[in-house]
Amino acid sequence: MADDEFDPLDERAMELLEAFIDRHGFLSWLNLEVVEVDSGRVVLTVPYDDKLVNPGSPIGSIHGGIAATLIDTASGFALRSTFDDPSTGSLATTDLNVTYLRPATADLRVEAEVLRTGGTMGYTDTIVSSVAPDGEEKTVATGRTSFRLFPDR
C-alpha cells in the first residue's frame, strides 16, 4: 500500500476505538488518544497531567496504574482490530503482566502488537514510553497480556 493510501478497515477501526473511548468515563478522563491502528497493532497516547502524578513525587512521576491501564487497553484494542468486524464481539483480560523500568514524567505512548490469536485466546506484547528528563524517549514499562476472545458476540 502506498504512503498516500489508507486502509478503510484501519480507518473504521480507529473511528470505533475513538467512539469507545468517548463512551468510557475513565479512558476519556485520561484523555486517551488513538494515534494509529493496523490489523493487530495499535498506538495510543496519554498527555502528561498533574492529576496522574503520584502525590508527593519529587520528580512528578505518573502513577504506575496508568501504564498498566494503557497496556491492558491498547492490547484489547489491538486484538479487536483482528476481528472481522471490530465493532462486534468482546474480549476479557485473563492475564496482565507489567514490568516497570523507570518513572514516567512526560506524555505516555503505548504500542501494542498481537503476538498470536486463536479461536478463543489472544496474546499481545506492549511497550510504554515517555520522554525522560534528558529529553530522550525511553521505555518506562513493558507488558504482556492474554485475553479470552468472543469475536462473534
Side-chain angles (χ1 to χ4, degrees):
M1 183 179 311
D3 287 340
D4 59 347
E5 296 179 35
F6 71 93
D7 183 339
L9 177 61
D10 295 344
E11 184 69 24
R12 174 79 173 124
M14 184 174 278
E15 290 170 4
L16 292 167
L17 297 179
E18 288 170 346
F20 180 85
I21 291 167
D22 289 343
R23 289 190 316 270
H24 194 288
F26 181 59
L27 297 179
S28 61
W29 179 80
L30 288 175
N31 292 316
L32 185 66
E33 182 180 334
V34 180
V35 175
E36 196 175 324
V37 178
D38 297 311
S39 182
R41 183 178 165 278
V42 69
V43 177
L44 308 173
T45 59
V46 167
Y48 181 89
D49 191 308
D50 287 337
K51 69 185 178 190
L52 307 177
V53 172
N54 284 309
S57 170
I59 60 171
S61 62
I62 296 173
H63 188 280
I66 303 302
T69 295
L70 289 177
I71 289 167
D72 188 43
T73 302
S75 295
F77 284 2
L79 285 161
R80 185 173 285 285
S81 76
T82 67
F83 290 0
D84 289 337
D85 180 353
S87 67
T88 63
S90 63
L91 38 80
T93 308
T94 57
D95 186 52
L96 172 66
N97 177 284
V98 181
T99 302
Y100 298 99
L101 304 173
R102 62 180 47 86
T105 57
D107 297 351
L108 295 172
R109 178 184 186 277
V110 61
E111 181 174 343
E113 187 168 344
V114 173
L115 296 173
R116 181 180 186 283
T117 60
T120 60
M121 293 295 295
Y123 306 89
T124 68
D125 197 16
T126 59
I127 295 174
V128 181
S129 59
S130 182
V131 175
D134 66 6
E136 187 178 332
E137 185 164 348
K138 295 185 177 179
T139 301
V140 297
T142 61
R144 284 259 168 118
T145 68
S146 63
F147 281 76
R148 175 72 165 91
L149 306 177
F150 306 95
D152 300 322
R153 278 194 185 170

